[in-house]
């Protein structure tokens, strides 16, 4: 079977959050991923007329929309220059010189009608690229929640999250076409959404949210995020339409360095070279940061210069270095890529300019996090199967994947799956379960299997709940596979009993996993009320706990706000691994998602806890 080789890439309120969530300090107090912003990003320079670089120290870490306030606008407002009117009028009889009338000035509002007709302008009342056909949330997913509260939640969310399925849900919420909530500017709200997506590794989704706002409506915060999303996707040309207003709004060195690059890309090499010379003289950038900008200039028409990039002595990977390197085909050393936040690895996986053979590990990591789907990962390995330059291990995996689809017997198909997963005694890398999801679902029911946990867990990485449920009467009672099935089976009618729950032994940390299973079943309503109370007491899961987070979650549920619930669920999972997720919080999250109509997501998150804890 030939699998497609196409890769589918599918302040009062701020104070309220700070003061209202003290009980979550251990959860939301985790260190955020190390900033990879380039020097000067988020650091306003002195006001015009002579802006200077703010610092020559290590890259700034202030995030757009974060604690540092955006740069104050210049005292003189930026007005778009009007084109000359000479030669624009139709020929007319030539009067005597003394009779020449003075040309009437052009009304900027009239000119704007030609640049962007009213019918083509987009309102800030609703912003977002995804609609119902893309499985997006409804427009009022945040209801009447205070926008400042929502922005504060986004800003405080440390990403990536431990749960792949919660990451997928949060991406869906942030990219949906959403009504701008009260008390925030629509462009600023889009910027905060995109900034969280970037921290999640979702560079393409972040750029799509940024592009959902007309440039005439950009705010300083959105200009900052726009630069980061352009660089995270390796597309410096995206900065060019934003240049004049971006410089005026933020006074950041990055925009000044973008000027010569954009001049080069527009076919003005002399202007580009003069801009690079001026940037060097003003000390806007030095070393590899300036060299990479020069390389972009050299890549333009008649660039006339070849720049060799040397990474020796470079001790940090910034978004500036990342974006310009992948835009110009410069290989980023693995040591630098792995020394920064995981976000950069996911950006690398999504970058189309990187050869597939060079990003196998990055693609696996992105799929494990949910940045890439199971179908996209299958397509990627299919492309590797046809690439003579593929690494040997990746080619072998691609061949095994083909065998898992095309072998004539169930035993042969399972043997191929087993080869991809590795020895039975070793944990299966989660990305490998994502890769084999659909092949596992095609395995004939009743095939001899020695690892039901991997088989069922693999199907559920792609949400194939009915395929997994086919094995309910075959998998061992009380096993991890059984636990995952009873959590995700969409056709369960009667609740499970306390005895069923007690029969679960789990693997690894059995006590933790039994508590997580209880949390999932209780949250999904698959235990009777009496059994919930009995199990909560015997397992010491304090499902009745109350704090500022649970109260905020309850309010969002009562108001039927799925978007707010998704954000609060992410706040409840501020931990690097599933082992750090408290079962009581999982119970609250699963319950809230189910009540607001996101039961499918709730079931998958509950099952993921068993698969990964």
């Amino acid at each position: 079977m030939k699998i497609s080789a196409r890769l589918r890439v599918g302040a009062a309120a701020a104070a309220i959050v700070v003061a209202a969530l003290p009980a979550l300090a251990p959860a939301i107090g985790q260190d955020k991923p190390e900033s990879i912003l380039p020097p000067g990003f988020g650091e306003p320079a002195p006001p015009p007329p002579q802006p200077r670089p703010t610092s020559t120290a290590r890259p700034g870490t202030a995030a757009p929309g974060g604690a540092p306030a955006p740069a104050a606008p210049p005292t003189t407002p930026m007005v778009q220059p009007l084109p000359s009117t000479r030669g624009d009028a139709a020929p007319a009889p030539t009067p005597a010189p003394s009779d020449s009338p003075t040309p009437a000035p052009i009304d900027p509002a009239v000119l704007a009608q030609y640049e962007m007709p009213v019918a083509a302008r987009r309102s800030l009342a609703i912003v977002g690229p995804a609609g119902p056909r893309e499985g997006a949330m409804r427009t009022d997913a945040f209801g009447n929640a205070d926008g400042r509260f929502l922005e504060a939640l986004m800003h405080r969310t440390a990403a990536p999250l431990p749960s792949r399925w919660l990451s997928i849900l949060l991406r869906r919420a942030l990219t949906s076409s959403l009504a701008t909530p009260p008390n925030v500017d629509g462009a600023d709200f889009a910027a905060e959404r995109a900034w969280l997506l970037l921290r999640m590794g979702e560079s393409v989704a972040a750029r799509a949210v940024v592009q959902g706002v007309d440039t005439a409506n950009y705010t300083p915060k959105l200009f900052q995020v726009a630069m980061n999303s352009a660089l995270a996707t390796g597309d410096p040309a995206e900065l060019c339409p934003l240049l004049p207003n971006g410089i005026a709004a933020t006074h950041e060195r990055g925009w000044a360095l973008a000027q010569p690059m954009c001049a080069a890309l527009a076919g003005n090499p002399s202007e580009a070279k003069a801009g690079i010379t001026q940037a060097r003289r003003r000390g806007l950038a030095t070393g590899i940061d300036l060299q990479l900008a020069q390389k972009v200039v050299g890549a333009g028409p008649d660039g006339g210069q070849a720049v060799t990039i040397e990474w020796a002595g470079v001790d940090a990977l910034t978004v500036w270095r990342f974006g310009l390197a992948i835009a110009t085909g410069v290989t980023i050393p693995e040591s630098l890529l792995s020394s920064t936040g995981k976000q950069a690895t996911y950006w690398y996986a999504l970058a189309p300019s990187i050869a597939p053979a060079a990003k196998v590990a990055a693609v696996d990591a992105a799929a494990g996090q949910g940045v890439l789907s199971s179908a996209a990962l299958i397509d990627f390995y299919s492309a590797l199967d046809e690439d003579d330059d593929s690494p040997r291990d990746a080619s072998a995996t691609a061949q095994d994947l083909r065998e898992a689809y095309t072998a004539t017997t169930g035993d042969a198909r399972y043997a191929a799956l087993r080869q991809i997963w590795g020895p039975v005694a070793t944990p299966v890398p989660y990305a490998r379960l994502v890769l084999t999801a659909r092949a596992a679902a095609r395995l004939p029911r009743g095939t001899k299997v020695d690892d039901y946990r991997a088989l069922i867990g693999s199907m559920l990485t792609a949400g194939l709940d009915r395929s997994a449920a086919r094995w309910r009467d075959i998998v061992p009672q009380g096993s991890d596979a059984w636990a995952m099935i009873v959590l995700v089976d969409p056709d369960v009618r009667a609740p499970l009993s306390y005895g069923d729950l007690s029969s679960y032994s789990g693997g690894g940390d059995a006590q933790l996993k039994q508590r997580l299973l209880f949390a999932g079943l209780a949250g999904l309503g698959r235990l009777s009320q009496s059994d919930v109370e009995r199990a909560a007491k015997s397992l010491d899961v304090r499902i009745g706990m109350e704090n500022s987070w649970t109260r905020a979650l309850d309010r969002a549920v009562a108001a039927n706000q799925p978007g707010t619930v998704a954000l609060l669920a992410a706040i409840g999972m501020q931990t690097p691994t599933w082992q750090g997720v408290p079962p009581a919080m999982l119970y609250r999250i699963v319950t809230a998602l189910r009540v607001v109509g996101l039961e499918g997501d709730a079931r998958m998150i509950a099952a993921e806890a068993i698969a990964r804890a």
Side-chain angles (χ1 to χ4, degrees):
M1 173 181 176
K2 181 67 67 177
I3 308 168
S4 167
R6 179 172 51 87
L7 179 61
R8 299 189 293 263
V9 197
I16 290 173
V17 175
V18 174
L21 301 177
L24 292 184
I28 61 180
Q30 304 290 335
D31 290 337
K32 294 187 179 181
E34 182 180 353
S35 172
I36 55 175
L37 295 179
F41 278 26
E43 301 174 7
Q50 296 295 332
R52 299 176 59 83
T54 58
S55 174
T56 57
R58 185 182 173 110
T61 57
T75 55
T76 302
M78 177 64 181
V79 178
Q80 183 173 342
L82 300 181
S84 171
T85 59
R86 290 177 297 177
D88 293 342
T94 305
S98 59
D99 296 330
S100 298
T102 301
I106 298 178
D107 185 351
V110 175
L111 182 65
Q113 293 286 341
Y114 289 93
E115 293 180 340
M116 179 67 75
V118 174
R121 298 177 190 176
R122 293 172 294 184
S123 170
L124 289 176
I126 298 178
V127 178
R133 287 190 297 181
E134 292 79 30
M137 289 188 178
R138 64 178 195 260
T139 302
D140 64 342
F142 289 114
N144 62 351
D146 193 305
R148 295 166 298 180
F149 173 74
L150 297 173
E151 285 190 338
L153 289 179
M154 293 180 197
H155 191 69
R156 296 191 65 168
T157 299
L161 302 173
S163 169
R164 179 176 184 270
W165 277 106
L166 183 54
S167 296
I168 293 171
L169 172 62
L170 188 56
R171 178 184 63 205
R172 196 163 94 237
L174 296 172
T175 57
S176 295
S177 181
L178 298 171
T180 299
N183 301 320
V184 290
D185 178 87
D188 280 346
F189 190 63
E192 203 67 61
R193 290 158 59 186
W195 183 237
L196 177 51
L197 285 166
L198 283 174
R199 302 199 309 275
M200 293 168 61
E202 301 280 0
S203 55
V204 175
R207 183 176 64 177
V209 172
V210 168
Q211 292 175 339
V213 178
D214 291 345
T215 56
N217 294 327
Y218 273 36
T219 60
K221 183 195 291 189
L222 189 53
F223 276 114
Q224 290 177 306
V225 177
M227 173 170 281
N228 283 273
S229 67
L231 293 170
T233 53
D235 188 9
E238 191 176 331
L239 301 174
C240 301
L242 309 177
L243 262 177
N245 293 337
I247 294 174
T250 67
H251 306 295
E252 290 177 349
R253 288 178 286 182
W255 292 105
L257 282 170
Q259 284 183 305
M261 294 191 297
C262 291
L265 296 174
N268 299 314
S270 59
E271 179 184 343
K273 293 174 184 177
I276 289 291
T277 300
Q278 184 181 21
R280 183 188 295 110
R281 184 170 59 248
R282 293 173 59 193
L284 295 179
T286 59
I288 195 168
D289 297 318
L290 184 61
Q291 292 170 9
L292 286 166
Q294 287 178 286
K295 194 164 185 68
V296 175
V297 169
D302 299 322
Q305 56 180 325
V307 180
T308 301
I309 303 299
E310 297 290 346
W311 293 96
V314 177
D315 61 354
L317 182 65
T318 66
V319 70
W320 180 266
R321 295 166 185 174
F322 176 92
L324 300 191
I326 65 172
T328 54
V330 175
T331 301
I332 301 174
E334 178 59 32
S335 58
L336 278 179
L337 195 59
S338 60
S339 67
T340 189
K342 294 180 180 179
Q343 300 89 343
T345 299
Y346 308 148
W347 300 348
Y348 195 79
L350 293 174
S353 60
I354 308 298
K359 59 179 182 179
V360 175
V363 168
D364 282 347
Q369 185 60 34
V371 175
L372 289 175
S373 68
S374 174
L377 187 60
I378 292 169
D379 287 351
F380 176 79
Y381 272 90
S382 299
L384 289 179
D385 194 24
E386 300 172 355
D387 188 350
D388 294 336
D389 296 327
S390 298
R392 181 178 301 177
D393 290 348
S395 294
T397 298
Q399 293 166 13
D400 290 334
L401 183 62
R402 189 195 316 118
E403 183 73 7
Y405 277 94
T406 61
T408 57
T409 67
D411 290 341
R413 291 184 182 183
Y414 183 73
L417 291 174
R418 184 76 269 170
Q419 195 68 25
I420 295 173
W421 295 338
V424 178
T426 60
V428 182
Y430 198 62
R432 292 303 173 95
L433 297 181
V434 177
L435 176 62
T436 57
R438 299 183 185 280
R442 293 164 59 92
L443 194 69
R445 184 178 182 274
T447 301
K448 185 177 180 181
V449 171
D450 59 3
D451 193 346
Y452 287 107
R453 181 177 188 269
L455 181 70
I456 301 303
S458 181
M459 296 182 208
L460 297 182
T461 63
L464 304 174
D465 50 1
R466 295 190 183 278
S467 296
R470 293 188 303 120
W471 295 79
R472 181 166 183 167
D473 297 332
I474 298 176
V475 302
Q477 175 84 10
S479 65
D480 278 345
W482 169 86
M484 287 185 275
I485 291 174
V486 298
L487 285 167
V488 302
D489 190 346
D491 296 325
V492 167
R493 293 293 180 262
L496 275 74
S497 69
Y498 181 82
D500 291 329
L501 174 63
S502 300
S503 71
Y504 174 58
S505 58
D509 189 340
Q511 184 179 17
L512 172 62
K513 296 183 73 170
Q514 191 172 44
R515 297 170 76 201
L516 290 173
L517 175 60
F518 161 69
L521 290 173
L524 291 169
R526 298 190 173 190
L527 291 173
S528 68
Q529 187 60 38
S530 60
D531 283 342
V532 168
E533 294 173 358
R534 180 182 177 186
K537 183 176 180 180
S538 64
L539 295 173
D540 192 24
V541 180
R542 301 179 182 180
I543 60 175
M545 70 172 183
E546 184 175 329
N547 54 40
S548 55
W549 177 75
T550 62
R551 289 190 290 270
L553 194 59
D554 290 344
R555 286 194 298 270
V557 170
N560 193 19
Q561 298 171 358
T564 310
V565 168
L567 274 177
L568 287 165
I571 288 289
M573 284 199 185
Q574 300 298 277
T575 175
T577 65
W578 268 104
Q579 285 75 13
V581 177
M585 278 191 167
L586 178 63
Y587 164 76
R588 290 284 189 163
I589 290 169
V590 171
T591 302
L593 292 174
R594 175 177 61 85
V595 173
V596 296
L598 299 172
E599 181 177 345
D601 303 89
R603 289 189 285 113
M604 292 304 157
I605 291 170
E608 185 186 354
I610 302 301
R612 304 186 72 177

